Amino acid sequence: MALICLLSGSLPLLFLHQLLLFSAFRPVSGVGINYGTLGNNLPSPRKVAQLLQSTLLDKVKIYDTNPEILEAFSNTAIDLTVAVENHHVANISADVSAADEWLATRVIPFIPATSIVAICVGNEYLTTNSGDGHLDPNALVHAMQNLHSVLVTRGLDRIIKVTTPHSMAVLASSFPPSASTFAPNLVEPMNSIIGFLADTGAPFMINAYPYFAYRENPTAVDLEYTLLGNATGVHDPKGYIYNNMLDAQIDAIRSAINALGFGNRTIEITVSESGWPSKGAPGDGDGAATPDNAKKYNTRLIERAQSNDSFLISFSSWFLFFP
């Protein structure tokens, strides 16, 4: 707990952007950080790496393949998850040679000195609007397959996993959790993606934010329920009782996966982003976005991630977001 207080209270603004509870696709929970680089007066990657080495954090996730960052984390014993930005997905999906070129120029030069353990292909790709409609879901599937194929050829598929983070918008509905399914227009790509994850042993990533559900309907949604507090239980028709919305959201994802026929396959779920803002946008009248609520949610999330007996389903990773 003291470690988390240090992170949220005394690190540069860079680290207030995102903090993750991450197990790098292993069954043990750990604490790490999502390293974003949008901001002013940010510390250098070298200073960031040195700072993290002085803590218990040994997992870092970035949103691209910034070579300066990858170099800075060489020989640090810190595991990195890198990413293919959304605008590069189509090119990598074109053919295996494009994927091989991406890997050869952006990842291979830095390993094994830098421990790269996963590649996220896009971010919320299936629900991101490109301006003239949503991005092509088939491109995402093909890009993931092509990257994995290249990793297999290079003998790296057991070291580096390929996955993609989704938003909760991939669901047709998240309540009741036991009846949740994926949106009809996403069933086909989800079948392909989940089959790929099951075959390769990579986790299903979901960005889950109870805060947004409360903000959209504060009169109908209990604040403590979204803050992971001991709220009055919300009942699912199948008899499950949820004392917080995050558990319900994650079970909704599990139900949607099972509804596609993958109930007998081993597919871990990673909470790739979650958190609560400490301040709302100017003039939006959001009274729930306060430092106190952010502290409550983020602290409780960490406690839950470290307490296996409190979960309804198994998770491989937890990410904590600090806007």
Side-chain angles (χ1 to χ4, degrees):
M1 194 63 61
L3 175 62
I4 301 305
C5 290
L6 170 65
L7 286 171
S8 61
S10 61
L11 291 188
L13 288 178
L14 164 68
F15 293 120
L16 297 183
H17 177 60
Q18 291 195 339
L19 180 145
L20 79 97
L21 297 173
F22 195 45
S23 68
F25 318 123
R26 298 176 187 135
V28 292
S29 295
V31 179
I33 194 164
N34 264 337
Y35 181 178
T37 55
L38 296 178
N40 299 317
N41 302 317
L42 302 179
S44 70
R46 182 66 65 185
K47 289 184 178 180
V48 172
Q50 292 173 346
L51 180 57
L52 292 179
Q53 282 187 290
S54 69
T55 72
L56 297 179
L57 300 173
D58 61 357
K59 309 287 184 282
V60 170
K61 179 174 173 289
I62 62 177
Y63 294 90
D64 49 27
T65 51
N66 185 317
E68 189 178 0
I69 294 176
L70 297 185
E71 180 63 32
F73 279 91
S74 64
N75 303 309
T76 59
I78 294 176
D79 291 341
L80 263 67
T81 292
V82 300
V84 177
E85 301 99 311
N86 283 355
H87 61 274
H88 285 310
V89 171
N91 181 56
I92 291 176
S93 73
D95 55 56
V96 174
S97 63
D100 186 69
E101 181 181 358
W102 184 92
L103 192 75
T105 57
R106 293 171 176 263
V107 174
I108 298 300
F110 302 97
I111 60 174
T114 300
S115 177
I116 297 176
V117 298
I119 299 172
C120 288
V121 182
N123 184 53
E124 299 188 354
Y125 191 88
L126 295 180
T127 51
T128 295
N129 196 307
S130 64
D132 56 355
H134 290 300
L135 299 171
D136 179 13
N138 291 322
L140 176 62
V141 174
H142 294 153
M144 295 174 70
Q145 294 170 338
N146 287 346
L147 277 173
H148 177 71
S149 177
V150 171
L151 289 169
V152 170
T153 300
R154 292 177 176 269
L156 296 171
D157 56 300
R158 294 181 179 272
I159 300 171
I160 303 175
K161 296 298 181 180
V162 177
T163 185
T164 184
H166 302 284
S167 74
M168 288 295 293
V170 296
L171 295 179
S173 175
S174 62
F175 196 86
S178 64
S180 292
T181 59
F182 290 112
N185 64 309
L186 297 179
V187 167
E188 183 176 348
M190 276 300 184
N191 255 313
S192 299
I193 290 171
I194 296 171
F196 169 86
L197 298 178
D199 291 341
T200 62
F204 184 100
M205 283 187 158
I206 186 69
N207 299 339
Y209 292 97
Y211 163 76
F212 290 134
Y214 178 80
R215 188 183 67 178
E216 291 172 7
N217 201 354
T219 59
V221 178
D222 180 70
L223 180 60
E224 277 300 303
Y225 180 62
T226 57
L227 285 172
L228 312 185
N230 295 319
T232 301
V234 173
H235 293 254
D236 181 279
K238 287 197 173 180
Y240 303 117
I241 300 177
Y242 295 95
N243 291 318
N244 72 80
M245 182 177 286
L246 184 60
D247 280 353
Q249 289 180 327
I250 305 310
D251 268 13
I253 293 295
R254 177 63 70 189
S255 293
I257 291 173
N258 292 347
L260 290 183
F262 292 95
N264 63 342
R265 302 293 301 276
T266 299
I267 302 169
E268 293 181 330
I269 294 176
T270 290
V271 179
S272 43
E273 289 184 14
S274 190
W276 197 280
S278 58
K279 184 178 181 180
D284 67 0
D286 186 0
T290 66
D292 183 57
N293 283 341
K295 180 180 179 180
K296 283 182 181 179
Y297 183 91
N298 296 329
T299 299
R300 290 168 178 174
L301 177 60
I302 292 167
E303 291 171 346
R304 294 185 68 75
Q306 294 177 330
S307 177
N308 291 332
D309 60 0
S310 69
F311 300 145
L312 296 177
I313 59 177
S314 62
F315 306 103
S316 64
S317 312
W318 289 79
F319 294 69
L320 185 58
F321 181 86
F322 285 87

